[in-house]
Amino acid sequence: MTPPPPRYPVFLSHPNIFASKFNSPIDLFPLQHQCVCVLVCEEEVFLKLNCYDFVIKMANNHNYKNGGVKTKSIASSSYSSGIKSKPPVTSRRNSTGSTVSGRVRVAVRLRPRNSEELSSDVDFADCVELQPELKRLKLRRNNWDSDTFEFDEVLTEFASQKRVYEVVAKPVVESVLDGYNGTVMAYGQTGTGKTYTLGKLGDEDTSARGIMVRAVEDIFAETDSISVSYIQLYMETIQDLLDPANDNLCIAEDPKSGDITLPGASLIEVRDQQSFVELLRLGEAHRFATNTKLNTESSRSHAILMVHVKKSVSVSGENVSSKSHTNRTMKPPVVRKGKLIVVDLAGSERIDKSGSEGHTLEEAKSINLSLSALGKCINALAENSSHVPVRDSKLTRLLRDSFGGTARTSLVITIGPSPRHRGETSSTIMFGQRAMKVENMLKIKEEFDYKSLARKLDLQVESLIAQHERQQKAYQDEIERISLEAKKQISQAEKSFADTLEKERLKYQRDCMESIKKLEEQLAANKFKEESLHNRPNEELIEAKKLLHNETLLRKAAEDKVKNLQNQVVQWKRSEVAGNAEILKLRKMLEDEVNQREKREEEISELQNQLLQLSFDADETRKQLESGDHSVDMSGDMGSLISPVRQPQMKYSGEQEKGSVAKLFEQVGLQKILSLLEAEDPDVRIHALKVIANLAAEATNQEKIVEAGGLTSLLALLTSSEDENIHRVAAGAIANLAMNETNQELIMSQGGVSLLAMTAQNADDPQTLRMVAGAIANLCGNDKLQLMLRAQGGIKALLSMVRCRHPDVLAQVARGIANFAKCESRASTQGIKNGKSLLIEDGALVWIVKNANNEASPIRRHIELALCHLAQHEGNARDMITGGALWELVRISRDCSSEDIRILARRTLSSSPSFQVELKRLRLNAG
């Protein structure tokens, strides 16, 4: 849910922006869908409404980082400021996420006065007054009455080319990179800066580069190459600026997609920024331009730059639990195609002012006719007319997709400040107001790259075949090596067994023969002894028998050893049998490897069949797409490739405008939003802070924010955070709260002025200083807090911020000084204060006198009021006389454009005795 119009400048960023400057009825292409409105913050070009949606979701789901269960929150609203010609804002996203609707976004840019206007209009005020912080433009009817208009962005004459690009074209370029078509167009009177805004090359000063150069620079940051066409529409003839020989191009419509194409136009591929700049320089050399009274180099044709972008999208969310590697690689890559069209329209002009005659007159007629046809188309679309006259002009046919089509369009209208051209300025503003009512249905362009997938599968198949062959060869080599090693080991074992067996057999044979020989010798000796000693006692015979028995036992033991050796021989033979079994086992392993090879060959064949089937399916899908059949089921794996739209959209309802804040508190709760100020994520913190700042702009919300501790949190952020973006937004929120007198006392009591002064001392960004100066300026308007404000360094902080020299910052400083001087004047009138002004004591008089005649009207008006209020206190008279303020008071009493200030200055001079004496001495008359 969104709050009322924020204090921060907002530009309606993405889809198509076209505007017209004609007072006649304005039409454009058929409106078939509703639209989406997305607001972008000035500083970071951030989606404003998405910011609120993001903060609401974070507040409803603030425990998501700690594993909490997410809850669903739906918020939608819209707002209206009550200003004239502000169309309602709506937003919608369809259920598929592939198409969204979006309103044409319009920004207005004011050209500074040129030398001719400075000399001829010196006695006349500008007919245009800008209020960029409120996105408003005032067009004066006369000195007493004016009309007020609101746009998506109001760019002052001080706006840089970079600032214009970021708020007008950068959101469109980002959408083109996401796969959408986008259009950026400039419209306005001749000589108001359209070509400077779009096509400035910036050869000498890079800061002066236009939207074309900056857009392509951002595109090259995301892609390696683009294709460019550059044409001009001259007197209803389409000519190729890159190839002047193609001077009569035809418009064709693609029968498949319905897109408008130029078959004969040059389409050049560009790979770097320098080549693109050279193409632009070549095209500008061929463009028709002439010298008129309104512009020395007036474009006499409509220039159209077409940039074709093709970007591959990385697939996310693939199924990592697939059954095979093949299933995970069967999804084709997604390619997004976007087209950026930059249109530099020829300036509308009146013949009596431009002085056109002859051929130049015919050119002006052709330009006005094509712009009139464009205006009629825009008016028809804005009023939801059943008929849109697209074919009345080639310009409207070329831009059919940009209005009521599928492109995201952004328009910048350029105006001048001179009151002599008030009619043309009014017509341009009305063109922009009507264009803001045109809505487009944006559609992303994606397609599957089946050729890339087929090449990838071919490489995978070849890789698998080569890997299989390498493995098969490795298996065969390993089997041969194992077989050779087994044979060698068996041969060595057999030889070792035979040698050992032979040695053992010979050893035991020798031992046996020696034992037998010894026994025979003993037996012979015993027989000899028996024969010679048969008469000896029986004891000797018994001893001999024992010896014989022992020898018999030894012989038996020898025989047992022989048997053991024979058993060992048997074991060696068994080991030989086991070796043979090992050989058989190795042979069986070889057979298994052969079988595995056959299985892998079957798998390769199956992969080839799947590749053929995939190619057939791709051809069938391509035929269906070419025949216009959009009923292909994308809910499976292919559907998961289509990524959602990058930036979520919100819905708005005009019936809930008055209850937006109440519903925000009701659905989210202020405490939840405040709790996000302490989040670790800097994006969450800055988004929540912006919501608080915009809520603080409503008086009904200020008391709730203070009661919930919001003021304390904002002041704490000024000291706890080092992010200047947070300082800027927090200061803006404090400035909004400081509009309430009760809140002013709370800010002072909590040392808010000291914190703001410290922030101003450390800040360099003009927007941050503007917010801080605005907050202090609001506090300066409280009579009760002046002494405390000065004690906390408020006046010195204001004076220190003039170092920035930015007009917006100086305007806030001047406003704060005027408020402070007014309170002092009131206190002096009531007799409460005596003595010199605190402003003069702190040295503010020098800056006041120096800027009393500042060119910026807001600064000058506040300084003039401050001088008048300071002069009402007689104690300041002497310092003002010596400081040169008396001369400025005399000038104000005579030449001030505001009658109230002029009367106040005269009354002040006439009521001061010191001033009267000095005027008599100088022989001056205050009136």
Side-chain angles (χ1 to χ4, degrees):
M1 184 170 296
T2 59
R7 291 270 173 185
Y8 307 100
V10 173
F11 171 65
L12 296 174
S13 74
H14 39 279
N16 316 335
I17 296 185
F18 258 75
S20 176
K21 127 180 196 185
F22 295 96
N23 293 323
S24 59
I26 304 172
D27 287 312
L28 216 118
F29 315 123
L31 183 60
Q32 300 174 354
H33 307 282
Q34 298 182 5
C35 70
V36 169
C37 170
V38 178
L39 301 179
V40 176
C41 291
E42 176 188 37
E43 267 59 59
E44 306 105 32
V45 192
F46 187 86
L47 290 179
K48 180 68 176 175
L49 297 183
N50 284 350
C51 168
Y52 287 101
D53 182 34
F54 179 71
V55 173
I56 290 170
K57 289 181 180 179
M58 290 300 100
N60 282 279
N61 307 282
H62 62 280
N63 293 325
Y64 73 101
K65 286 189 175 180
N66 298 324
V69 178
K70 295 184 178 180
T71 60
K72 186 174 182 182
S73 174
I74 301 176
S76 64
S77 69
S78 63
Y79 60 81
S80 175
S81 63
I83 302 300
K84 178 179 178 181
S85 301
K86 180 67 175 180
V89 178
T90 59
S91 175
R92 185 182 73 252
R93 178 184 175 188
N94 65 355
S95 59
T96 64
S98 61
T99 59
V100 292
S101 60
R103 176 174 63 76
V104 171
R105 314 295 169 169
V106 181
V108 59
R109 186 179 191 186
L110 177 64
R111 171 183 59 77
R113 285 193 176 190
N114 53 34
S115 58
E116 180 182 356
E117 291 170 346
L118 289 173
S119 60
S120 60
D121 298 340
V122 67
D123 296 330
F124 299 94
D126 294 346
C127 66
V128 176
E129 179 181 353
L130 303 183
Q131 295 177 337
E133 64 276 3
L134 300 177
K135 303 296 182 292
R136 291 178 184 173
L137 178 148
K138 288 186 178 181
L139 180 63
R140 293 191 179 92
R141 297 179 180 177
N142 47 48
N143 291 335
W144 305 276
D145 195 8
S146 62
D147 294 328
T148 302
F149 303 91
E150 273 199 5
F151 288 93
D152 300 312
E153 183 64 36
V154 175
L155 302 169
T156 67
E157 63 270 26
F158 303 105
S160 63
Q161 290 283 77
K162 180 180 179 182
R163 164 76 176 150
V164 174
Y165 168 72
E166 288 180 348
V167 301
V168 174
K170 188 171 184 178
V172 178
V173 173
E174 292 175 349
S175 298
V176 171
L177 291 173
D178 289 337
Y180 296 94
N181 287 344
T183 302
V184 178
M185 188 175 74
Y187 177 87
Q189 182 189 7
T190 298
T192 54
K194 299 182 297 303
T195 303
Y196 176 81
T197 300
L198 295 181
K200 185 70 174 178
L201 298 181
D203 295 332
E204 299 178 356
D205 184 5
T206 57
S207 64
R209 293 174 300 166
I211 287 177
M212 291 182 180
V213 180
R214 294 178 185 270
V216 173
E217 183 179 3
D218 283 355
I219 292 175
F220 272 127
E222 298 289 336
T223 60
D224 295 331
S225 65
I226 60 175
S227 298
V228 176
S229 295
Y230 198 16
I231 64 172
Q232 70 174 351
L233 180 60
Y234 176 71
M235 297 186 70
E236 286 301 301
T237 301
I238 302 176
Q239 302 177 359
D240 193 344
L241 291 176
L242 302 181
D243 185 5
N246 296 334
D247 58 353
N248 191 11
L249 300 177
C250 297
I251 301 175
E253 182 174 347
D254 191 344
K256 297 179 181 179
S257 62
D259 294 339
I260 297 298
T261 61
L262 296 172
S266 301
L267 185 62
I268 300 177
E269 184 177 0
V270 182
R271 295 187 177 274
D272 56 59
Q273 182 74 9
Q274 184 61 33
S275 300
F276 173 74
V277 173
E278 292 299 328
L279 285 179
L280 283 184
R281 188 177 286 108
L282 174 64
E284 289 299 324
H286 295 147
R287 190 177 178 187
F288 288 99
T290 188
N291 183 10
T292 67
K293 292 182 179 180
L294 295 178
N295 190 0
T296 57
E297 294 184 3
S298 176
S299 301
R300 313 310 293 170
S301 65
H302 307 298
I304 302 176
L305 175 69
M306 299 179 181
V307 181
H308 300 266
V309 181
K310 185 176 180 181
K311 180 181 178 182
S312 298
V313 181
S314 60
V315 180
S316 61
E318 290 192 357
N319 183 15
V320 296
S321 61
S322 299
K323 295 182 179 180
S324 67
H325 175 75
T326 304
N327 292 335
R328 293 196 297 270
T329 59
M330 293 296 288
K331 297 179 180 180
V334 177
V335 176
R336 289 180 178 173
K337 294 182 178 180
K339 180 170 68 175
L340 174 64
I341 300 178
V342 183
V343 185
D344 182 10
L345 294 176
S348 61
E349 61 185 38
R350 292 184 179 179
I351 306 304
D352 56 346
K353 291 187 176 181
S354 62
S356 300
E357 58 184 11
H359 185 68
T360 306
L361 177 60
E362 295 300 322
E363 292 175 342
K365 290 179 180 179
S366 177
I367 292 170
N368 289 339
L369 284 175
S370 61
L371 293 178
S372 178
L374 177 62
K376 291 179 180 179
C377 291
I378 290 179
N379 195 44
L381 284 173
E383 295 178 357
N384 293 330
S385 175
S386 59
H387 171 68
V388 179
V390 179
R391 295 188 174 271
D392 287 358
S393 171
K394 289 186 178 180
L395 177 63
T396 55
R397 289 191 65 194
L398 287 173
L399 300 179
R400 189 186 68 178
D401 189 53
S402 302
F403 297 91
T406 61
R408 186 184 303 274
T409 305
S410 180
L411 168 67
V412 55
I413 61 173
T414 58
I415 60 176
S418 175
R420 293 184 298 142
H421 303 300
R422 187 190 179 281
E424 288 81 352
T425 301
S426 176
S427 178
T428 301
I429 292 172
M430 295 308 299
F431 186 99
Q433 289 292 301
R434 293 187 181 97
M436 289 175 69
K437 300 178 181 179
V438 177
E439 300 177 356
N440 293 344
M441 179 58 66
L442 312 183
K443 184 177 181 180
I444 193 169
K445 292 187 177 181
E446 292 182 344
E447 63 182 25
F448 297 117
D449 193 354
Y450 292 103
K451 293 183 179 179
S452 175
L453 178 61
R455 289 194 299 270
K456 183 178 179 181
L457 291 177
D458 287 338
L459 292 176
Q460 289 182 356
V461 170
E462 292 176 359
S463 176
L464 289 174
I465 293 173
Q467 182 179 2
H468 175 71
E469 291 178 352
R470 288 194 299 270
Q471 291 179 351
Q472 192 66 29
K473 187 176 184 304
Y475 291 153
Q476 292 177 355
D477 295 342
E478 185 67 16
I479 289 171
E480 292 178 359
R481 185 185 65 79
I482 293 174
S483 178
L484 291 175
E485 288 182 357
K487 289 180 180 179
K488 184 177 181 181
Q489 290 178 359
I490 291 171
S491 177
Q492 291 178 353
E494 289 177 348
K495 184 178 180 181
S496 176
F497 292 157
D499 293 342
T500 304
L501 182 61
E502 183 66 21
K503 289 179 181 179
E504 291 292 331
R505 188 181 67 78
L506 293 174
K507 178 182 177 181
Y508 287 120
Q509 187 176 5
R510 288 194 299 269
D511 292 343
C512 183
M513 294 301 292
E514 290 176 358
S515 298
I516 293 171
K517 185 176 181 181
K518 287 180 180 180
L519 289 174
E520 289 177 349
E521 291 176 353
Q522 288 179 3
L523 180 60
N526 290 333
K527 287 180 178 180
F528 178 76
K529 287 179 180 181
E530 288 179 356
E531 292 177 355
S532 60
L533 300 173
H534 59 279
N535 296 322
R536 287 185 179 183
N538 292 332
E539 290 83 4
E540 292 181 0
L541 181 60
I542 293 171
E543 185 177 356
K545 291 181 178 180
K546 288 182 179 179
L547 290 173
L548 181 60
H549 180 69
N550 291 334
E551 291 296 332
T552 304
L553 293 177
L554 289 174
R555 184 173 181 176
K556 187 176 181 181
E559 291 176 352
D560 292 336
K561 288 183 179 180
V562 172
K563 290 181 179 180
N564 290 334
L565 289 175
Q566 290 176 350
N567 291 333
Q568 290 181 4
V569 171
V570 172
Q571 290 178 357
W572 285 117
K573 290 182 178 180
R574 290 177 180 175
S575 298
E576 182 180 359
V577 173
N580 293 331
E582 185 71 20
I583 293 174
L584 293 175
K585 184 176 180 181
L586 292 174
R587 290 177 179 174
K588 186 176 181 181
M589 290 175 60
L590 179 61
E591 293 177 357
D592 292 339
E593 292 297 333
V594 172
N595 293 332
Q596 290 181 1
R597 178 179 180 181
E598 293 176 354
K599 289 182 180 180
R600 287 187 173 84
E601 290 177 352
E602 292 177 357
E603 290 180 357
I604 292 173
S605 177
E606 183 179 356
L607 285 174
Q608 292 175 346
N609 293 333
Q610 289 180 0
L611 178 59
L612 292 175
Q613 181 64 30
L614 177 62
S615 301
F616 176 77
D617 293 341
D619 293 338
E620 291 296 325
T621 304
R622 189 181 298 106
K623 290 178 181 179
Q624 292 178 357
L625 293 175
E626 291 175 355
S627 61
D629 183 7
H630 301 289
S631 61
V632 181
D633 184 10
M634 303 297 287
S635 60
D637 290 341
M638 295 300 179
S640 65
L641 296 176
I642 303 177
S643 59
V645 179
R646 181 175 65 89
Q647 298 173 337
Q649 309 297 321
M650 297 181 61
K651 295 183 178 181
Y652 297 89
S653 174
E655 299 176 356
Q656 299 177 345
E657 292 176 351
K658 297 182 179 179
S660 59
V661 176
K663 287 187 178 180
L664 179 63
F665 292 153
E666 199 174 275
Q667 292 184 5
V668 177
L670 185 59
Q671 290 294 343
K672 289 184 179 180
I673 298 177
L674 289 174
S675 66
L676 294 179
L677 296 178
E678 301 177 358
E680 296 180 359
D681 191 340
D683 290 336
V684 175
R685 192 162 60 248
I686 191 67
H687 296 174
L689 186 57
K690 289 180 179 179
V691 172
I692 295 298
N694 285 279
L695 289 174
E698 286 291 333
T700 56
N701 300 332
Q702 293 177 356
E703 183 178 356
K704 297 178 182 179
I705 293 174
V706 174
E707 290 178 355
L711 177 59
T712 303
S713 300
L714 292 173
L715 293 174
L717 285 175
L718 296 179
T719 56
S720 62
S721 176
E722 297 180 357
D723 190 346
E724 190 163 352
N725 291 329
I726 292 179
H727 289 172
R728 178 174 62 257
V729 182
I734 294 171
N736 290 339
L737 292 175
M739 292 186 295
N740 183 282
E741 185 175 353
T742 304
N743 295 340
Q744 292 174 354
E745 296 178 358
L746 291 174
I747 293 172
M748 295 296 296
S749 63
Q750 296 183 20
V753 175
S754 300
L755 296 177
L756 290 170
M758 179 185 65
T759 303
Q761 182 180 0
N762 298 328
D764 294 325
D765 180 42
Q767 298 303 325
T768 303
L769 294 174
R770 180 172 68 88
M771 296 300 179
V772 174
I776 297 177
N778 290 338
L779 295 172
C780 287
N782 194 320
D783 298 344
K784 304 176 183 179
L785 305 176
Q786 286 201 308
L787 294 177
M788 187 182 300
L789 178 70
R790 188 206 183 196
Q792 293 186 11
I795 297 176
K796 292 184 178 179
L798 274 177
L799 295 176
S800 68
M801 283 185 279
V802 301
R803 72 182 186 277
C804 179
R805 297 184 180 179
H806 193 279
D808 294 341
V809 178
L810 298 181
Q812 295 298 329
V813 173
R815 184 171 69 86
I817 291 175
N819 289 342
F820 198 94
K822 183 177 180 180
C823 292
E824 285 190 332
S825 174
R826 191 159 45 236
S828 175
T829 304
Q830 297 174 359
I832 300 175
K833 177 178 176 60
N834 292 316
K836 188 186 300 184
S837 169
L838 299 178
L839 289 172
I840 295 178
E841 291 182 359
D842 286 348
L845 186 60
V846 177
W847 185 83
I848 292 174
V849 174
K850 182 179 178 181
N851 289 270
N853 199 16
N854 195 289
E855 295 180 357
S857 58
I859 301 174
R860 184 175 64 253
R861 184 172 63 254
H862 290 307
I863 292 297
E864 290 172 349
L865 285 173
L867 280 173
C868 291
H869 289 307
L870 288 174
Q872 291 180 357
H873 184 33
E874 188 64 23
N876 301 331
R878 180 51 51 192
D879 290 312
M880 294 183 70
I881 291 172
T882 57
L886 178 59
W887 293 97
E888 295 299 333
L889 282 171
V890 173
R891 181 191 59 79
I892 293 170
S893 66
R894 295 176 177 178
D895 303 330
C896 182
S897 59
S898 175
E899 184 177 0
D900 294 340
I901 299 177
R902 193 164 60 247
I903 294 173
L904 180 60
R906 292 175 182 174
R907 187 169 62 246
T908 301
L909 289 172
S910 62
S911 62
S912 173
S914 300
F915 287 157
Q916 288 297 320
V917 171
E918 184 66 16
L919 289 174
K920 289 180 181 179
R921 188 181 69 82
L922 298 174
R923 297 180 181 179
L924 292 176
N925 185 6

